[in-house]
């Protein structure tokens, strides 16, 4: 059954646009009075409503002005966790640095303690709640990291919880193993012994249970050094995992490593300088800006403008987590990043759609084009510029996942 949805005041297919570098709004290829023809959860064609009518078996009518976009992808989240870190936040806004709070027993380790106490069901319920909020905000695919378990049993529990939540949620969850988030305080041995343990004990189990296809590490002086990270990531690749890195959040280093080894993405980049920017622009490693972490920590944003001007592929993700980025409102964060970094609407929307899809190496979504998933959202306005202008206060009125209307 071929279903035509429309007419939309505008549709932004986000198709046939460059994967890397700066973008102008004039490149967007906006379709006015648009329709989208779908079948079995896929897009057959995007075009004008009138031209598509002849090929439709059924029409899902849009009877007020709306702008159609691909569903957003959030390529970096930590939405599997227990507890709150509002105490950390109160200390931070009063002036205590994030890394000092971590050293004093707060930070990631305090979420690890709570996450270890939570049952798989409790964790899955938390993921489902957050995922549902994302879906209502137009996010139709979200990556989810482990990394608050940091033992064999608890990392597997987290990833199983993500899988369970994924099977119950209306959106796709992409799991990533972040057992190399930090060395847990109860581990007996140094960083390299810990990473060796992850490689020998945790990753093979993650692989055999097919719990995640991606591996991440927090490359930072207070977590794992560049050398430790390189060794670990190359072993993870040998085991068949795709790679991503938390890099340059406080000190530079992680992004150059990510580009050197050809990781799919490097995320954070608040402290990337000129050298790091050039290296990323020369690579196919996606630079993922996480404005939610800048807002949560009161830090500078990643240099998205300079990265784009240098020719890098820039995506924007929420980093939704209980510590550095508790807000989880991707559209708000991307709008604010765009205003601060002087990004065109096209660049911001690309960072939330097809460039985010490339960060996850998913080539079946992020654009409204023939053969792609019918993951879509429509905003109640007639000009696409209204969406970022309202900085997250205008939410999609309709959301479709694989052609099925979920809002
Ligand atoms: O991406 N930087 C490391 N990891 C997370 C924060 C985790 C936490 O504070 O709980 C991040 O910001
Ligand atoms: Fe993160």
């Amino acid at each position: 059954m071929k279903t035509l949805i429309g007419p939309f005041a505008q549709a932004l297919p986000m198709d046939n646009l460059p994967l890397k570098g700066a973008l102008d709004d004039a490149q967007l290829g906006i379709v006015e009075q648009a329709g989208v023809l779908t079948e079995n959860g896929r897009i057959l064609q995007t075009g004008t409503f009138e031209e598509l009518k002849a090929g439709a078996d059924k029409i899902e009518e849009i009877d007020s002005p709306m702008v159609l976009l691909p569903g957003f992808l959030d390529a970096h989240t930590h939405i599997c966790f227990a507890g709150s870190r509002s105490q950390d936040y109160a200390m931070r806004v009063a002036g205590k640095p994030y890394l000092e709070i971590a050293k004093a027993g707060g930070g990631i380790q305090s979420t690890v303690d709570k996450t270890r106490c939570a049952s798989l069901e409790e964790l899955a319920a938390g993921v489902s709640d957050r995922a549902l909020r994302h879906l209502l905000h137009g996010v139709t695919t979200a990556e989810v990291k482990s990394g608050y378990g940091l033992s064999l049993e608890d990392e597997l529990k987290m990833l199983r919880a993500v899988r369970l939540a994924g099977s119950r949620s209306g959106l796709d969850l992409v799991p990533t193993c972040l057992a190399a988030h930090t060395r847990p305080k109860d581990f007996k041995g140094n960083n390299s012994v810990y990473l060796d343990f992850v490689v020998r004990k945790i990753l093979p189990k993650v692989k055999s249970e097919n719990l995640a296809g991606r591996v991440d590490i927090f490359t930072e002086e207070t977590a794992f050094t560049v050398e430790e990270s390189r060794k670990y990531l190359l072993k993870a690749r040998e085991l068949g995992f795709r790679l991503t890195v938390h890099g340059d959040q406080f000190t530079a280093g992680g992004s150059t490593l990510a580009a050197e080894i050809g990781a799919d993405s490097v995320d954070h980049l608040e402290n990337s300088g000129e050298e790091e920017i050039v290296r990323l622009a020369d690579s196919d490693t996606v630079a993922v800006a996480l404005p939610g972490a800048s807002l949560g920590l009161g830090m500078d944003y990643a240099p998205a403008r300079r990265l784009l001007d240098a020719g890098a592929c820039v995506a924007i993700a929420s980093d939704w987590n209980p510590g550095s980025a508790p807000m989880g409102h991707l559209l708000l964060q991307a709008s604010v990043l765009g205003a601060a970094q002087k990004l065109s609407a096209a660049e911001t929307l690309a960072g939330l759609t097809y460039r985010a899809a490339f960060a996850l190496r998913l080539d079946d979504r992020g654009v409204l084009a023939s053969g792609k998933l019918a993951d879509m959202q429509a905003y109640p306005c007639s000009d696409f510029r209204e969406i970022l202008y309202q900085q997250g206060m205008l939410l999609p009125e309709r959301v479709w996942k694989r052609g099925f209307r979920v809002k």
Side-chain angles (χ1 to χ4, degrees):
M1 169 88 75
K2 294 179 183 166
T3 306
L4 173 62
I5 313 174
F8 295 97
Q10 296 180 326
L12 274 61
M14 304 307 293
D15 193 21
N16 296 318
L17 291 171
L19 196 50
K20 295 171 69 176
L23 284 175
D24 203 279
D25 289 356
Q27 292 172 266
L28 277 172
I30 296 167
V31 185
E32 310 277 346
Q33 288 309 308
V36 61
L37 194 62
T38 66
E39 187 175 38
N40 298 327
R42 301 254 169 189
I43 293 169
L44 292 175
Q45 207 181 333
T46 306
T48 65
F49 188 74
E50 283 308 315
E51 82 184 343
L52 294 177
K53 253 183 177 170
D57 301 314
K58 190 183 136 199
I59 292 182
E60 191 177 319
E61 201 170 330
I62 302 294
D63 51 15
S64 58
M66 289 195 208
V67 172
L68 184 72
L69 292 180
F72 293 146
L73 291 93
D74 189 350
H76 182 137
T77 86
H78 307 247
I79 57 172
C80 184
F81 63 84
S84 160
R85 299 245 294 281
S86 56
Q87 317 88 301
D88 285 18
Y89 187 78
M91 283 193 268
R92 281 207 307 274
V93 293
K96 203 170 168 77
Y98 178 67
L99 294 178
E100 257 181 50
I101 294 171
K103 275 183 203 150
I108 295 170
Q109 184 64 49
S110 71
T111 299
V112 171
D113 296 341
K114 291 176 195 130
T115 303
R116 284 181 176 178
C117 289
S119 68
L120 189 148
E121 267 298 334
E122 286 164 343
L123 290 177
V127 177
S128 297
D129 287 351
R130 295 173 196 114
L132 177 63
R133 209 182 88 188
H134 249 12
L135 189 62
L136 299 176
H137 286 192
V139 178
T140 46
T141 299
E143 185 256 19
V144 189
K145 299 175 194 296
S146 64
Y148 293 125
L150 309 184
S151 68
L152 173 62
E153 185 194 332
D154 295 299
E155 282 293 301
L156 296 178
K157 179 178 70 180
M158 285 190 75
L159 291 169
R160 288 173 187 145
V162 174
R163 175 143 78 191
L164 184 59
S167 72
R168 292 171 177 167
S169 305
L171 72 172
D172 291 325
L173 300 180
V174 178
T176 301
C177 181
L178 179 57
H181 201 181
T182 187
R183 173 162 51 88
K185 67 171 190 274
D186 60 350
F187 187 81
K188 295 190 179 46
N190 61 19
N191 273 359
S192 68
V193 179
Y194 177 68
L195 292 177
D196 195 50
F197 158 76
V198 175
V199 166
R200 286 187 302 104
K201 299 288 184 209
I202 300 184
L203 296 186
K205 201 78 177 106
V206 170
K207 192 89 220 165
S208 67
E209 271 192 50
N210 201 17
L211 287 168
R214 316 170 77 240
V215 156
D216 192 355
I217 187 165
F218 185 17
T219 302
E220 188 55 56
E221 279 166 5
T222 51
F224 299 100
T225 66
V226 170
E227 278 316 308
E228 289 163 348
S229 302
R230 178 184 290 106
K231 212 170 139 201
Y232 173 71
L233 289 168
L234 294 177
K235 285 191 185 152
R237 176 178 276 157
E238 270 172 32
L239 292 173
F241 290 96
R242 302 201 66 89
L243 308 177
T244 178
V245 178
H246 275 72
D248 299 2
Q249 185 181 15
F250 301 100
T251 48
S255 68
T256 305
L257 169 67
E260 171 201 313
I261 63 174
D264 292 344
S265 78
V266 56
D267 309 24
H268 270 297
L269 309 170
E270 293 86 336
N271 279 290
S272 301
E274 211 41 50
E275 230 176 272
E276 288 73 34
I277 289 171
V278 170
R279 292 296 301 274
L280 280 175
D282 274 348
S283 75
D284 282 335
T285 298
V286 179
V288 183
L290 305 174
S294 302
L295 291 165
L297 296 177
M299 279 173 62
D300 286 344
Y301 295 104
R305 176 74 270 143
R306 288 197 290 147
L307 281 157
L308 286 164
D309 287 342
C313 179
V314 174
I316 305 168
S318 74
D319 196 19
W320 193 353
N321 74 71
S324 60
M327 182 209 293
H329 194 319
L330 180 60
L331 177 59
L332 186 162
Q333 294 164 358
S335 308
V336 168
L337 176 77
Q341 282 286 307
K342 311 292 177 232
L343 307 183
S344 68
E347 288 167 335
T348 301
L349 295 174
L352 295 168
T353 56
Y354 72 95
R355 290 178 171 178
F358 186 59
L360 295 173
R361 296 302 191 268
L362 294 173
D363 60 8
D364 61 353
R365 62 195 76 190
V367 293
L368 303 178
S370 170
K372 305 298 179 186
L373 292 181
D375 290 0
M376 312 181 294
Q377 50 173 335
Y379 288 80
C381 56
S382 20
D383 183 325
F384 74 98
R385 289 172 291 202
E386 199 71 31
I387 299 166
L388 298 175
Y389 167 65
Q390 296 211 24
Q391 297 191 316
M393 294 310 285
L394 187 73
L395 290 172
E397 189 165 312
R398 299 203 183 178
V399 179
W400 296 264
K401 180 66 193 167
R402 294 174 195 259
F404 183 77
R405 192 170 155 200
V406 290
K407 181 182 183 181

